Structure formats: C-alpha cells, structure tokens
Amino acid sequence: MEAMAEHSQETRVTGESGADKIQERLQRRHQARAEDAERKKEAQASQSVAEEKSGYFLSTFNAERASIEDLLSSCSGADRAVVTQTLEEATVKTLQLQKFLNDSMLFLTQYELRRAQDALKKLLTSSADIREEALPKKKFAFRARSKATDKVSAPPVTDTPTVTDSTKVDVAPAESVQCCFSNMDNVCMIKTAEEINKQDVLLTHLTNCKVRLFGSPSTLHMTHIDNCEILCGPVSSSVFVDHCRNSTLAIPCQQLRTHNTTDTQVYLHVTSRAIVEDCRGVGFAPFTCSYPTLDEDFIVSGLDRHRNNWSQVDDFNWLAAGTPSPNWALIPEADRKTNWEL
C-alpha cells in the first residue's frame, strides 16, 4: 500500500511538472507573438510617420521652390535696383530651402533627395543666369589718372613695383560706374572711401598682390585671385569670390558666396550666412581688422556690427546632416592673423 501511495504521488508530481512546462511554453509562445505583433505595429507606425514627414517635406519644398521661381520670373523687364533686390531675396530663400533639405534628409528616400538637390541646383543656375543677363559687368577703360588722384596709390615697397599710370583705374564720379583692378602681378594697391563708396568693385586676375579697399562698396567681385592679401571695408550687400587660391581675405559684408576656391583664409563679418561651393581648404575666422575710418564705413554700409555669423557656413557640395563638411574649417585662434599692414 505504501509503495502504491508513493507511486501515485510521483505520478501527480510528474503530471504537475509536465503541465507546468506546457503552460510555460504556451506563455513564451504567446509573449513572442505579442512582441512580434508590437514590432509590426511599431514598424507600420514608423513607416506612416516617415510617409507623413516625406509628404510634408515634398509639399513644403515644392511650394517654396515655386515661390522662388516666381521671384526670379519677376526680374524680367525690371530695372537694375529691383533685380538686385529680388535676386538677394531669392538667394536668401534658396539658402533657407537648402537648410530645410539638410534637416529632412534622415527620412527622405534617395530618389526624393536627388530630386530636391537637382531642384536647388536649378534655382542657383537660374539666379546666376539672370544676374549675368540683367546685371552685366560694365567694361572698364584704363587710362592715366591725374596727379590729384595718384596719391591714393600705395608707396613703393622693397622689391615690389608700384602701380604705374598705365595700369591705374580711372574712376568717374557717378556712383553707377564700377572700379576695377585687373591683370596685375606683385603690386600694392589702395582705394579710398571717396573712390569706392556705393560702387561695385571688381578685382580680377591678380597675383601676389596686396589690396586695401577703404570705404563701403556696394558689391565686391573677386575672380582669379592667386596668393593675394585683400582687406576691404564693409560691403553693403554681397561679396562674390571665384577661382581664388592661396590667399587671405578680410571682409565685412551682408552675404558671401565663394566658388572654386582653395587654400584660402577668410576673416569675415557677415550678417547672413556664408556659402561655399566647389571649394577645398577654406578657413574662416572673425573679422578683427581695424583702420581709422572703419566705424564710419560701417555706418555707410548699413551693416549690423553686433550681428556676425562668420562661423555659419553652408557648403552646397556637402549635404550630410550632422557631419561637418571637409571643405572648410574654423581657423584655430592660435593660427589667426593678428597683424594687418595698412
């Protein structure tokens, strides 16, 4: 009897143990199914959110792009002042659209991203074409200047030729006439506020030159600059740099656009955001230069001295959000130029 009781007890224990194991397996299976269902639910929700964000991006991007295209279209037949102002507004809006794209890259497909990038490039190309057509660069005549104006030329320096009468630029009193330094090598050049205030200034094909522009130009264009040091007073609107290398630039301005530039340092005061495109090895530091009439030139330019976005640079060739562009960098404080010869 006792043996039978022990066997019965063992059977009950074994049965209870087997039932527990079955129950445990059922619970694990149920939990796994529940977790799988939750994962699918989260994936569907995530996809829905991504699709919603993508839809919002596309509608907003396309609306803003159409707005910029309308602005550019309005330049047709407008006078120079209106075209200049409209192009500035279109450029600002394009920059904002670029930032919107950069911030949205995480949830965009490669196709959507590529389409948006192509649309931005098209806007920039259209702006450049309109600027070239509606705001053509004036032709410059080089002729001897009177002795009264020769005093603005820099004094000769050792082993450095001075600007000869045949290369000095004649500046007419009308504000609409640009002034220009062109095709010079190893010279030192100076312009005074009386010569450049409110005018468009062009520097082109300069090599091993030192340029000092005191006053407040309307715009400043620099192209094909090689191994030069250029210091300019506050520019009331935009500075355009193209094909510059191995140079040092010091410029306050409203907007800076830099193209095809390599191994160049820019000491900058800018009230919007600087732009680089097709550049390499460009360094930025705050504008710290000073000269006797700088305060007056800032007043003439209308720039805000307390607003300087020198470190806020947009690289149109670098769209990886959260990763710094390898094409430009901030100049370390220890390496910044502090001695500017005027």
Side-chain angles (χ1 to χ4, degrees):
M1 293 293 292
E2 184 177 351
M4 291 179 62
E6 290 179 355
H7 176 72
S8 176
Q9 184 177 359
E10 289 177 359
T11 301
R12 285 198 305 272
V13 171
T14 302
E16 290 175 358
S17 177
D20 290 342
K21 290 181 179 179
I22 293 174
Q23 184 66 24
E24 184 179 351
R25 285 199 298 271
L26 291 175
Q27 288 178 349
R28 285 201 301 268
R29 185 179 302 173
H30 176 73
Q31 183 177 358
R33 288 176 177 174
E35 291 175 352
D36 185 57
E38 186 65 24
R39 281 194 298 270
K40 290 181 179 179
K41 182 178 179 181
E42 290 177 355
Q44 291 175 350
S46 177
Q47 182 178 359
S48 177
V49 170
E51 290 174 352
E52 182 178 348
K53 288 182 177 180
S54 177
Y56 170 76
F57 168 82
L58 292 175
S59 62
T60 304
F61 184 92
N62 290 332
E64 190 61 22
R65 181 189 62 182
S67 173
I68 297 172
E69 289 173 344
D70 290 342
L71 272 177
L72 297 177
S73 298
S74 69
C75 292
S76 178
D79 60 35
R80 183 182 181 90
V82 172
V83 171
T84 301
Q85 183 177 357
T86 301
L87 287 177
E88 291 296 334
E89 183 180 353
T91 299
V92 171
K93 285 180 172 290
T94 303
L95 287 176
Q96 294 172 342
L97 194 58
Q98 174 74 62
K99 186 177 186 304
F100 179 54
L101 172 60
N102 290 347
D103 294 341
S104 306
M105 289 177 60
L106 292 178
F107 54 81
L108 295 179
T109 65
Q110 288 297 318
Y111 175 76
E112 292 169 339
L113 178 60
R114 187 165 56 252
R115 288 286 299 273
Q117 291 172 341
D118 290 342
L120 279 171
K121 289 181 179 179
K122 185 177 179 180
L123 289 175
L124 292 171
T125 301
S126 297
S127 295
D129 291 344
I130 292 172
R131 187 179 298 276
E132 183 69 23
E133 180 180 354
L135 305 175
K137 296 182 177 67
K138 290 180 171 56
K139 295 182 179 180
F140 304 96
F142 293 86
R143 64 189 183 191
R145 296 170 55 189
S146 65
K147 293 184 179 299
T149 57
D150 282 347
K151 63 183 181 181
V152 300
S153 298
V157 294
T158 304
D159 298 327
T160 301
T162 58
V163 184
T164 64
D165 285 340
S166 62
T167 59
K168 291 174 185 174
V169 182
D170 179 69
V171 181
E175 290 185 352
S176 60
V177 177
Q178 293 178 322
C179 58
C180 167
F181 284 125
S182 178
N183 298 304
M184 296 183 181
D185 185 1
N186 202 35
V187 297
C188 181
M189 298 166 285
I190 295 178
K191 283 287 186 182
T192 64
E194 290 76 13
E195 293 178 291
I196 69 171
N197 270 353
K198 300 300 183 180
Q199 296 194 57
D200 296 332
V201 177
L202 173 64
L203 306 177
T204 178
H205 292 89
L206 304 183
T207 304
N208 301 317
C209 292
K210 181 179 291 186
V211 181
R212 298 294 183 262
L213 304 174
F214 302 119
S216 176
S218 176
T219 63
L220 174 61
H221 295 253
M222 291 182 279
T223 177
H224 297 284
I225 306 297
D226 188 5
N227 197 33
C228 293
E229 182 180 285
I230 298 171
L231 167 61
C232 182
V235 180
S236 60
S237 58
S238 299
V239 174
F240 302 92
V241 182
D242 191 23
H243 288 92
C244 177
R245 67 187 188 117
N246 301 324
S247 295
T248 301
L249 314 176
I251 315 164
C253 59
Q254 182 186 66
Q255 182 188 56
L256 174 70
R257 296 288 301 271
T258 306
H259 300 271
N260 305 301
T261 293
T262 58
D263 303 322
T264 292
Q265 294 189 334
V266 183
Y267 291 82
L268 182 65
H269 181 110
V270 62
T271 57
S272 58
R273 292 175 68 93
I275 299 171
V276 297
E277 187 172 17
D278 299 325
C279 294
R280 174 175 51 82
V282 180
F284 289 91
F287 179 86
T288 56
C289 306
S290 181
Y291 57 86
T293 61
L294 181 60
D295 291 339
E296 291 85 347
D297 293 341
F298 260 103
I299 293 174
V300 172
S301 72
L303 297 180
D304 185 352
R305 295 203 68 169
H306 304 291
R307 181 183 177 189
N308 187 4
N309 298 316
W310 67 273
S311 62
Q312 305 301 310
V313 181
D314 293 319
D315 184 353
F316 279 6
N317 298 110
W318 188 257
L319 300 178
T323 304
S325 167
N327 300 317
W328 67 273
L330 303 183
I331 303 173
E333 289 190 27
D335 298 333
R336 295 174 186 173
K337 183 177 178 64
T338 57
N339 182 25
W340 296 87
E341 296 180 2
L342 302 179

